[in-house]
Amino acid sequence: MQEYAVRMALRDRPELEALASEYQQVINQRLKPLKAGQLTNVFGPKLESQRELTPQRLTNHVALPLFAPPIVSLSGLLVTNDQSHADLYAMGDIGYAWFVYQWDGSLEYARLVLYLRPDASFVPLKTEADFTTRLEWEKAKWLALQQWLDVHLPKATTKPRNRSSASNTN
């Protein structure tokens, strides 16, 4: 996959550091506290549910932000009765939230991933030269995604610290 190779070459760019921190804060402070029973109230009905835990299997076209972790690792060591699954929810027309549940079948999250929804101005990563244009597209989508969460999530007591500075840097 060409985008993956370019993404890996760009992953340590200093422009991504603040956004990466912000991404993790949104997941940890705003999404992880949600209980599985609250998800349809926030996001609406799930788009799909699956046992196969790979983004390539998603039927919706998704774009992993450059500032998101490029690899998701889940412990499966000695798990013989894997009852894990993942549910995908839309965040309007801006992006998607992917909730991956624990192997034991519980409704505890093993991992949460946020994706952006490509649109007509989406910039695929074909070469490293696409970085600046892609990052500008992602910053605008990321800000819109956070605004969507502000409207739809229960009010957070702590919002991500770097939101205005990271999203507005060039």
Side-chain angles (χ1 to χ4, degrees), residues 46-156:
K46 59 186 159 193
L47 299 177
E48 51 188 281
S49 185
Q50 58 194 0
R51 291 211 2 95
E52 186 68 32
L53 302 178
T54 61
Q56 294 81 7
R57 299 271 183 179
L58 298 174
T59 58
N60 294 282
H61 188 51
V62 298
L64 182 67
L66 292 169
F67 45 86
I71 299 170
V72 173
S73 298
L74 302 173
S75 174
L77 185 62
L78 302 177
V79 174
T80 58
N81 188 20
D82 184 0
Q83 298 175 34
S84 61
H85 74 281
D87 293 334
L88 183 72
Y89 293 89
M91 290 184 280
D93 63 353
I94 301 161
Y96 302 96
W98 195 40
F99 292 82
V100 180
Y101 296 91
Q102 296 287 350
W103 65 269
D104 63 1
S106 69
L107 294 179
E108 290 185 42
Y109 312 124
R111 188 76 174 144
L112 288 122
V113 181
L114 296 173
Y115 293 99
L116 302 174
R117 183 176 183 180
D119 56 20
S121 60
F122 174 69
V123 179
L125 283 177
K126 295 179 182 174
T127 70
E128 290 184 37
D130 297 323
F131 174 77
T132 302
T133 310
R134 169 72 172 263
L135 185 58
E136 289 307 311
W137 177 86
E138 286 189 6
K139 285 180 182 180
K141 285 289 227 179
W142 178 240
L143 183 59
L145 185 140
Q146 290 184 74
Q147 291 169 344
W148 188 94
L149 290 172
D150 287 345
V151 170
H152 293 88
L153 285 180
K155 298 303 174 211

Side-chain angles (χ1 to χ4, degrees), residues 22-44 89-92 96-97 99 109 112 114 142 144-160 163:
E22 194 173 296
Y23 178 91
Q24 284 307 127
Q25 287 177 347
V26 167
I27 287 175
N28 293 333
Q29 295 175 7
R30 304 200 66 199
L31 295 178
K32 274 191 179 176
L34 293 174
K35 303 294 180 208
Q38 293 178 285
L39 298 181
T40 55
N41 293 336
V42 173
F43 300 103
Y89 293 89
M91 290 184 280
Y96 302 96
F99 292 82
Y109 312 124
L112 288 122
L114 296 173
W142 178 240
L145 185 140
Q146 290 184 74
Q147 291 169 344
W148 188 94
L149 290 172
D150 287 345
V151 170
H152 293 88
L153 285 180
K155 298 303 174 211
T157 55
T158 306
K159 290 190 179 181
R163 181 175 178 172

